[in-house]
PDB file of all heavy atoms in Angstrom:
ATOM      1  N   PHE B  83     129.681  94.223  87.359  1.00 92.00           N
ATOM      2  CA  PHE B  83     130.671  93.462  86.611  1.00 92.00           C
ATOM      3  C   PHE B  83     131.767  94.408  86.114  1.00 92.00           C
ATOM      4  O   PHE B  83     131.499  95.340  85.344  1.00 92.00           O
ATOM      5  CB  PHE B  83     130.024  92.749  85.407  1.00 92.00           C
ATOM      6  CG  PHE B  83     128.940  91.790  85.798  1.00 92.00           C
ATOM      7  CD1 PHE B  83     127.597  92.140  85.621  1.00 92.00           C
ATOM      8  CD2 PHE B  83     129.236  90.558  86.351  1.00 92.00           C
ATOM      9  CE1 PHE B  83     126.590  91.261  85.986  1.00 92.00           C
ATOM     10  CE2 PHE B  83     128.223  89.682  86.731  1.00 92.00           C
ATOM     11  CZ  PHE B  83     126.909  90.032  86.543  1.00 92.00           C
ATOM     12  N   SER B  84     132.994  94.150  86.555  1.00 92.00           N
ATOM     13  CA  SER B  84     134.120  94.952  86.096  1.00 92.00           C
ATOM     14  C   SER B  84     134.522  94.503  84.699  1.00 92.00           C
ATOM     15  O   SER B  84     134.114  93.421  84.243  1.00 92.00           O
ATOM     16  CB  SER B  84     135.294  94.779  87.053  1.00 92.00           C
ATOM     17  OG  SER B  84     135.783  93.443  86.983  1.00 92.00           O
ATOM     18  N   PRO B  85     135.310  95.307  83.972  1.00 92.00           N
ATOM     19  CA  PRO B  85     135.820  94.854  82.672  1.00 92.00           C
ATOM     20  C   PRO B  85     136.543  93.511  82.771  1.00 92.00           C
ATOM     21  O   PRO B  85     136.478  92.709  81.828  1.00 92.00           O
ATOM     22  CB  PRO B  85     136.763  95.983  82.261  1.00 92.00           C
ATOM     23  CG  PRO B  85     136.181  97.205  82.921  1.00 92.00           C
ATOM     24  CD  PRO B  85     135.663  96.709  84.246  1.00 92.00           C
ATOM     25  N   ASP B  86     137.222  93.266  83.894  1.00 93.00           N
ATOM     26  CA  ASP B  86     137.889  91.969  84.073  1.00 93.00           C
ATOM     27  C   ASP B  86     136.876  90.827  84.145  1.00 93.00           C
ATOM     28  O   ASP B  86     137.129  89.723  83.637  1.00 93.00           O
ATOM     29  CB  ASP B  86     138.741  91.985  85.347  1.00 93.00           C
ATOM     30  CG  ASP B  86     139.952  92.895  85.221  1.00 93.00           C
ATOM     31  OD1 ASP B  86     140.349  93.199  84.077  1.00 93.00           O
ATOM     32  OD2 ASP B  86     140.489  93.318  86.271  1.00 93.00           O
ATOM     33  N   ASP B  87     135.721  91.080  84.774  1.00 93.00           N
ATOM     34  CA  ASP B  87     134.677  90.049  84.842  1.00 93.00           C
ATOM     35  C   ASP B  87     134.150  89.739  83.434  1.00 93.00           C
ATOM     36  O   ASP B  87     133.899  88.575  83.087  1.00 93.00           O
ATOM     37  CB  ASP B  87     133.515  90.505  85.728  1.00 93.00           C
ATOM     38  CG  ASP B  87     133.898  90.622  87.193  1.00 93.00           C
ATOM     39  OD1 ASP B  87     134.722  89.810  87.645  1.00 93.00           O
ATOM     40  OD2 ASP B  87     133.363  91.526  87.868  1.00 93.00           O
ATOM     41  N   VAL B  88     133.955  90.784  82.637  1.00 92.00           N
ATOM     42  CA  VAL B  88     133.486  90.580  81.262  1.00 92.00           C
ATOM     43  C   VAL B  88     134.509  89.766  80.476  1.00 92.00           C
ATOM     44  O   VAL B  88     134.165  88.858  79.703  1.00 92.00           O
ATOM     45  CB  VAL B  88     133.222  91.926  80.569  1.00 92.00           C
ATOM     46  CG1 VAL B  88     132.800  91.711  79.112  1.00 92.00           C
ATOM     47  CG2 VAL B  88     132.135  92.706  81.314  1.00 92.00           C
ATOM     48  N   ALA B  89     135.792  90.065  80.696  1.00 93.00           N
ATOM     49  CA  ALA B  89     136.854  89.310  80.013  1.00 93.00           C
ATOM     50  C   ALA B  89     136.849  87.850  80.455  1.00 93.00           C
ATOM     51  O   ALA B  89     137.054  86.937  79.635  1.00 93.00           O
ATOM     52  CB  ALA B  89     138.206  89.952  80.290  1.00 93.00           C
ATOM     53  N   ALA B  90     136.617  87.616  81.750  1.00 93.00           N
ATOM     54  CA  ALA B  90     136.580  86.238  82.256  1.00 93.00           C
ATOM     55  C   ALA B  90     135.418  85.468  81.639  1.00 93.00           C
ATOM     56  O   ALA B  90     135.545  84.283  81.310  1.00 93.00           O
ATOM     57  CB  ALA B  90     136.472  86.244  83.778  1.00 93.00           C
ATOM     58  N   ILE B  91     134.278  86.135  81.473  1.00 93.00           N
ATOM     59  CA  ILE B  91     133.136  85.482  80.835  1.00 93.00           C
ATOM     60  C   ILE B  91     133.442  85.177  79.372  1.00 93.00           C
ATOM     61  O   ILE B  91     133.091  84.106  78.853  1.00 93.00           O
ATOM     62  CB  ILE B  91     131.883  86.380  80.957  1.00 93.00           C
ATOM     63  CG1 ILE B  91     131.472  86.543  82.419  1.00 93.00           C
ATOM     64  CG2 ILE B  91     130.714  85.803  80.143  1.00 93.00           C
ATOM     65  CD1 ILE B  91     130.410  87.599  82.656  1.00 93.00           C
ATOM     66  N   SER B  92     134.124  86.097  78.702  1.00 92.00           N
ATOM     67  CA  SER B  92     134.486  85.881  77.295  1.00 92.00           C
ATOM     68  C   SER B  92     135.381  84.662  77.121  1.00 92.00           C
ATOM     69  O   SER B  92     135.354  83.999  76.071  1.00 92.00           O
ATOM     70  CB  SER B  92     135.206  87.119  76.742  1.00 92.00           C
ATOM     71  OG  SER B  92     134.362  88.247  76.794  1.00 92.00           O
ATOM     72  N   ALA B  93     136.188  84.375  78.147  1.00 92.00           N
ATOM     73  CA  ALA B  93     137.143  83.279  78.051  1.00 92.00           C
ATOM     74  C   ALA B  93     136.518  81.907  78.315  1.00 92.00           C
ATOM     75  O   ALA B  93     137.183  80.879  78.127  1.00 92.00           O
ATOM     76  CB  ALA B  93     138.288  83.516  79.034  1.00 92.00           C
ATOM     77  N   VAL B  94     135.251  81.867  78.747  1.00 92.00           N
ATOM     78  CA  VAL B  94     134.589  80.586  79.029  1.00 92.00           C
ATOM     79  C   VAL B  94     134.360  79.836  77.723  1.00 92.00           C
ATOM     80  O   VAL B  94     133.970  80.424  76.704  1.00 92.00           O
ATOM     81  CB  VAL B  94     133.249  80.831  79.764  1.00 92.00           C
ATOM     82  CG1 VAL B  94     132.452  79.541  79.875  1.00 92.00           C
ATOM     83  CG2 VAL B  94     133.497  81.425  81.143  1.00 92.00           C
ATOM     84  N   ASP B  95     134.617  78.522  77.732  1.00 92.00           N
ATOM     85  CA  ASP B  95     134.399  77.709  76.539  1.00 92.00           C
ATOM     86  C   ASP B  95     132.940  77.802  76.082  1.00 92.00           C
ATOM     87  O   ASP B  95     132.026  77.670  76.887  1.00 92.00           O
ATOM     88  CB  ASP B  95     134.735  76.237  76.822  1.00 92.00           C
ATOM     89  CG  ASP B  95     136.227  76.009  76.961  1.00 92.00           C
ATOM     90  OD1 ASP B  95     136.995  76.885  76.502  1.00 92.00           O
ATOM     91  OD2 ASP B  95     136.625  74.972  77.539  1.00 92.00           O
ATOM     92  N   GLY B  96     132.774  77.995  74.796  1.00 91.00           N
ATOM     93  CA  GLY B  96     131.432  78.085  74.227  1.00 91.00           C
ATOM     94  C   GLY B  96     130.909  79.495  74.104  1.00 91.00           C
ATOM     95  O   GLY B  96     129.866  79.713  73.491  1.00 91.00           O
ATOM     96  N   VAL B  97     131.611  80.492  74.683  1.00 91.00           N
ATOM     97  CA  VAL B  97     131.175  81.880  74.596  1.00 91.00           C
ATOM     98  C   VAL B  97     131.805  82.516  73.358  1.00 91.00           C
ATOM     99  O   VAL B  97     133.027  82.543  73.219  1.00 91.00           O
ATOM    100  CB  VAL B  97     131.568  82.684  75.848  1.00 91.00           C
ATOM    101  CG1 VAL B  97     131.252  84.165  75.654  1.00 91.00           C
ATOM    102  CG2 VAL B  97     130.835  82.150  77.068  1.00 91.00           C
ATOM    103  N   GLU B  98     130.952  83.035  72.484  1.00 90.00           N
ATOM    104  CA  GLU B  98     131.448  83.695  71.272  1.00 90.00           C
ATOM    105  C   GLU B  98     131.555  85.198  71.476  1.00 90.00           C
ATOM    106  O   GLU B  98     132.535  85.823  71.081  1.00 90.00           O
ATOM    107  CB  GLU B  98     130.522  83.390  70.100  1.00 90.00           C
ATOM    108  CG  GLU B  98     131.010  83.925  68.765  1.00 90.00           C
ATOM    109  CD  GLU B  98     130.150  83.436  67.613  1.00 90.00           C
ATOM    110  OE1 GLU B  98     129.958  82.207  67.484  1.00 90.00           O
ATOM    111  OE2 GLU B  98     129.650  84.285  66.849  1.00 90.00           O
TER     112      GLU B  98
END
Side-chain angles (χ1 to χ4, degrees):
F83 300 104
S84 67
D86 291 340
D87 292 325
V88 177
I91 295 170
S92 299
V94 171
D95 288 342
V97 173
E98 185 172 306

